[in-house]
Every structure is written in C-alpha cells, then in structure tokens.
Amino acid sequence: MTNAPTDGWSPADNPYAIAVSEARWWKESARLAILRMRRKDDARFGWCSTQQIDARQLVFALRQLLSAEDLEQFALKELGINQAVRDVLTNARQRFEDALPGIKDMRDGLMHFEEWARGLGRGPQEKQRDDGVLPRDVARHFWGFGFDPNAGTVKFGPYIINIDTAERAAHEFAHSIYMAAHEVDKRNTAELRAKTITALAAAGIPFGGPDAGFKVSPGTDLSIWVSLDRSPGVDDSEYSDLATRIVAALISVDLRLVSNIDAEDQAAAVRLARGEFLYVAADTVESEEPEESEADTAADPITSAQFQRIVTLAVEKFREAEHCAEIGAFEAACVLVGAAVESALIAQVCVFQTEVRNANLWRKHRKRKTSAEEDTPLFKWTLGDLIQVAVKMGWLPIDGATLSVAEPVEKLTGEVGDAVRFIQEVRNLVVHPGKYVRSEYWPPIGRVEYDVVYGVARAVLDHLNEAIERL
C-alpha cells in the first residue's frame, strides 16, 4: 500500500519552486514572530512569556531560510543554470549570515538542547572541547537564550541578533532566492517560445514577416502570447483558417493555447480568430503543482501585459466620459465613469492580489451546487465584488451612510466607499432598463449627477494612489 499521489506530480520534479515556496513561508513566519514580539506578553499564558516563545520560533524560521537556499542551489546546479546566478545567491546568503551572526548555531543549540546543555554539542561546542575546554564550561558559554524587549535583541550565549535587522535580512534573502528561481522561469519561457516557433515553422505557417498575419510575443512577462493581426476588410474565414492551423500545429507538439480572461470552455481556434490574446502552455498534467509558490507567480493568471491594459483602460474610459459630457451625453458619461472605476479597482486587486488572498477575500464560485468552491478569475468579478473587497481591505473608507440615487446628490457626504456604491447604482439604472422601470424613483441623469459621479471617481483614484504609495 502507498499514499503517494496518483496524478504523477512530485515535489522532486521542481525543487527550485519548492525552495521559493518554503523561503516565502519561513520569511513570513519570521515576520509574524517579530510582530508578536513587539507587543506585550499575552496574559492568557500566565507566567510564561509569549515574547520568549516567539523568540524561539523566530530563530527556527530564520535558520530554515538557509535550508531553502541549500535546496535552491542544488536545483540550480541540477538544471544547469549559469554559475553567475548561483554566485549571486551565494553572496546573498553571506549577507544574511553576516547580518545574523551565529543564527545556525543558535538554532542548533535550541534544537539539540539535550547535548548543548551538557557541552556535548557539535560545531562551536565541539571545537572548544577539542581545544581542551571542559564540557561543563563549554555548556555554560553557549547557553542563556532570551529576548530583550527593550533592546530588541535575541541572545544565545555569545550570539546576539537584532529583530529589526532580522526582519530586513529575511525579506532580502527570500527575495534573492525567488530571483534565482526566476532565472529558471526565464529559461523555460525561452525554450517554450522556441518550441512554439519551431512547431509553426514545421507546419508551414510563416512567422515574423509583415504578411505573417499573427504575432508571438517575446515572453518578457514570462508568458508566450499568440494573437492574430486583424485588418479591416479581411474575410473572417481567413482568420478562422489561420487560427485552426496555428492551434493544430501547437497540439502536434503537446502545446495548447489558453485564455485567462474568460474561464468558459470555448475552442482556442474560435477565441484566437475573434482577436483574443491567448498564451501558450504545455499540455501536460505533470506541469501543474498542487501548491502555489512565489516562483509560480510568473505564470499567474494576471500577467503584466493585462495589468498594463487594465490601467490604460481606466484612463481611456475617463477621457471618453469627458468627451460625452462635453456634448451633453451625461448618461453615457456616467456609464463610462463606472467602467473607469471598475478598471481602477481591478488594477488595485492586481497590485495587492497576495494581500487579498491572505485576507481570504478572493471571490469564489461553484460550478454546481454540489461542487467545491473555486477561485473566480479576477476579470469575471462584478463591480459589486470589487467594491466589497476594496472596502474590507481599507482602500475605500466608508461610514455606512450610502447615498441612493433617489436622494439629492447634494447629500453625498459619506466616505469614498459609500460614494462608489452610488456610482454603481447610477450605472446600473442606466445600463439595465428593467431596473430603471421597476424603480419607484426615476432619477434624471444630468450635469449635476455626472459631476458628482466624476468627482467621486477621481477621489477613488486618489485613495488607490495613496494605498500604493504607502505600500
């Protein structure tokens, strides 16, 4: 009998990503311990100091970062990554150890206290014994663990580390481990792009020339995007035929085109022919990992190209709203402002997606009533979803006094979060005629309403800007 997974996946297949994942977890473990150490002792533990407990956890977490670097170095060497990359990581480890002198020995002393308490430990204790020092005196020299909250230091025998320094060092070291793994992702992307181009060439599909009819991105965002160059006046059947040939060529080498904007099951050739950007992925189950790691975020469903597009969209919608307002089309202007706000909030979630997930605020859905919950792709969130998350994350403050469009706009004195809900209600009345007719109050959407909606939207962007600057 065996409890091994049956899907063929194993952490041994991608140790470079496992190292990044573990580095991230232990970095955050260290940060959590430090946050608690800066507070007063938890009275629920009575005589036992929780600061001293967390100090021990901190030492273990910091030492585990060295283990993550060991694994990363092994993986980089096994994968044949350039020695210069490994040297940069070695230097990062040295800086970490210089900032936290004796961290390995501190952990060893805590873990193997049954030996260190008798002066029979390895490492520095063994060296002193070899120099003729009695075990009893060795034990006395390497003992006395404790956290000094006034000095902000953790001491064990001759070793002392500062918790502020430890927090910075852990963050920088974990980032260095991630950047080393990033080189693996860059190489994998280059190989995937080469495989894509080779498959297209083998199928007789021209690439790179002005008449190719399609584009393959360079992969600078660690994703290989394929898109058609649609020109006015060209029959749709030509794009359909080209898209079908491209998809077939990639399938022949176990590659597929994937959309991460729309999760609905539609043929890749259909998506490509209608002008959608699709990215290339290996058509294998083994490439999927059951646990997300920081290295995996290179292939996150939200790419840098999409982020740039959503930011640009927010600006464009504001400009279009201004043009509509200039000619007196205030209803259209309000709808466009609503679209701009929605785009800005999507961009905010893109920037802080890790924080949103850690706060358990990522939207979820069920395909069927009896199926398990799944993450909802960000680009399928509603404006209501975005507002709710933004308020809970503290990006859009509220006071609960949400204004209805049935009230005079001069009463709009609530916080920004409340005002955004006002924008949502105005937009819904305009774009949903049934809601407008069912409403007991049929509000006019004119210059006054537009000015309020536009002003609120600008305030939203100010709040989002402040949040990013604080970060």
Side-chain angles (χ1 to χ4, degrees):
M1 297 293 291
T2 177
N3 292 323
T6 59
D7 62 0
W9 180 88
S10 170
D13 296 334
N14 292 290
Y16 83 98
I18 300 300
V20 173
S21 178
E22 288 301 313
R24 182 183 65 175
W25 282 112
W26 289 111
K27 175 200 71 175
E28 293 301 322
S29 297
R31 190 163 72 97
L32 177 61
I34 291 171
L35 285 173
R36 294 191 300 215
M37 290 165 67
R38 289 176 176 145
R39 301 171 185 163
K40 294 181 179 180
D41 280 327
D42 191 328
R44 293 174 297 178
F45 284 74
W47 64 269
C48 187
S49 169
T50 55
Q51 289 180 325
Q52 302 302 326
I53 294 174
D54 287 321
R56 284 167 163 77
Q57 301 301 323
L58 172 62
V59 169
F60 275 84
L62 295 172
R63 172 61 179 87
Q64 291 301 87
L65 284 168
L66 294 173
S67 296
E69 191 268 346
D70 285 339
L71 179 59
E72 191 65 60
Q73 289 282 14
F74 164 81
L76 295 176
K77 184 176 181 179
E78 188 176 56
L79 292 169
I81 298 300
N82 192 291
Q83 180 65 44
V85 175
R86 291 147 55 192
D87 290 343
V88 170
L89 185 55
T90 298
N91 292 336
R93 179 189 180 112
Q94 188 60 57
R95 290 193 300 273
F96 179 77
E97 292 182 319
D98 289 344
L100 307 173
I103 188 62
K104 181 181 181 300
D105 295 331
M106 292 175 75
R107 194 290 307 260
D108 290 347
L110 291 174
M111 174 169 280
H112 302 292
F113 64 88
E114 77 285 2
E115 294 178 349
W116 283 60
R118 295 180 293 154
L120 301 178
R122 298 180 181 179
Q125 283 203 338
E126 185 175 19
K127 185 177 183 305
Q128 285 204 355
R129 292 197 307 273
D130 291 344
D131 291 339
V133 181
L134 295 175
R136 181 177 182 278
D137 294 328
V138 172
R140 182 173 57 185
H141 182 67
F142 292 98
W143 203 249
F145 182 88
F147 169 59
D148 182 348
N150 294 321
T153 57
V154 178
K155 181 178 182 298
F156 180 75
Y159 308 119
I160 300 177
I161 62 173
N162 181 279
I163 62 172
D164 292 337
T165 301
E167 186 172 20
R168 289 192 300 271
H171 176 80
E172 292 172 1
F173 193 30
H175 181 68
S176 296
I177 295 172
Y178 163 70
M179 291 305 296
H182 191 68
E183 293 298 317
V184 181
D185 291 325
K186 286 168 62 177
R187 190 186 71 174
N188 291 345
T189 300
E191 292 175 352
L192 182 62
R193 187 174 190 273
K195 185 176 182 180
T196 298
I197 294 173
T198 300
L200 295 172
I205 304 174
F207 166 76
D211 300 325
F214 73 99
K215 295 178 181 178
V216 178
S217 72
T220 52
D221 62 350
L222 299 185
S223 291
I224 307 301
W225 296 92
V226 176
S227 62
L228 297 188
D229 288 329
R230 295 182 61 90
S231 302
V234 178
D235 191 272
D236 285 344
S237 62
E238 293 189 26
Y239 293 116
S240 180
D241 292 343
L242 178 57
T244 301
R245 292 175 62 201
I246 292 172
V247 170
L250 295 178
I251 290 176
S252 69
V253 292
D254 296 325
L255 297 178
R256 59 193 173 98
L257 290 176
V258 182
S259 170
N260 56 10
I261 297 177
D262 187 353
E264 294 179 4
D265 186 16
Q266 295 181 3
V270 174
R271 294 178 181 276
L272 190 61
R274 73 187 183 194
E276 187 173 334
F277 284 72
L278 303 178
Y279 69 89
V280 181
D283 194 15
T284 56
V285 175
E286 287 77 12
S287 64
E288 297 176 1
E289 292 191 22
E291 182 175 349
E292 179 189 5
S293 73
E294 195 167 344
D296 296 331
T297 58
D300 193 271
I302 304 165
T303 69
S304 59
Q306 288 177 322
F307 175 73
Q308 291 297 330
R309 287 202 296 275
I310 200 68
V311 171
T312 301
L313 190 63
V315 176
E316 289 177 349
K317 294 306 179 186
F318 267 116
R319 290 174 179 169
E320 291 176 20
E322 291 171 339
H323 294 325
C324 288
E326 287 174 0
I327 62 173
F330 297 113
E331 287 193 356
C334 286
V335 172
L336 289 167
V337 169
V341 169
E342 188 168 339
S343 300
L345 290 176
I346 290 174
Q348 179 82 349
V349 177
C350 284
V351 173
F352 295 102
Q353 56 182 303
T354 300
E355 289 79 1
V356 172
R357 290 185 185 278
N358 289 343
N360 294 321
L361 292 177
W362 197 271
R363 303 290 90 179
K364 295 183 179 295
H365 70 282
R366 299 178 189 271
K367 290 184 177 179
R368 295 180 298 274
K369 289 184 178 180
T370 57
S371 63
E373 284 190 332
E374 298 179 3
D375 285 351
T376 301
L378 176 58
F379 298 112
K380 299 192 78 173
W381 287 21
T382 66
L383 178 56
D385 290 334
L386 292 163
I387 293 173
Q388 184 178 4
V389 169
V391 169
K392 289 184 177 179
M393 290 296 294
W395 303 334
L396 302 177
I398 63 171
D399 65 6
T402 305
L403 178 69
S404 167
V405 292
E407 301 175 83
V409 293
E410 290 81 2
K411 291 184 179 180
L412 188 58
T413 58
E415 295 283 3
V416 174
D418 300 312
V420 174
R421 291 191 174 115
F422 172 76
I423 291 180
Q424 181 186 19
E425 190 169 355
V426 170
R427 188 202 65 169
N428 288 345
L429 283 174
V430 174
V431 300
H432 300 299
K435 180 178 178 64
Y436 185 88
V437 172
R438 291 194 308 270
S439 175
E440 295 180 0
Y441 175 75
W442 294 3
I445 305 297
R447 166 62 70 178
V448 174
E449 286 72 22
Y450 166 75
D451 286 343
V452 171
V453 167
Y454 185 82
V456 170
R458 294 305 297 263
V460 169
L461 289 185
D462 289 343
H463 275 273
L464 301 187
N465 250 355
E466 291 172 6
I468 295 174
E469 288 175 1
R470 285 197 300 271
L471 177 67

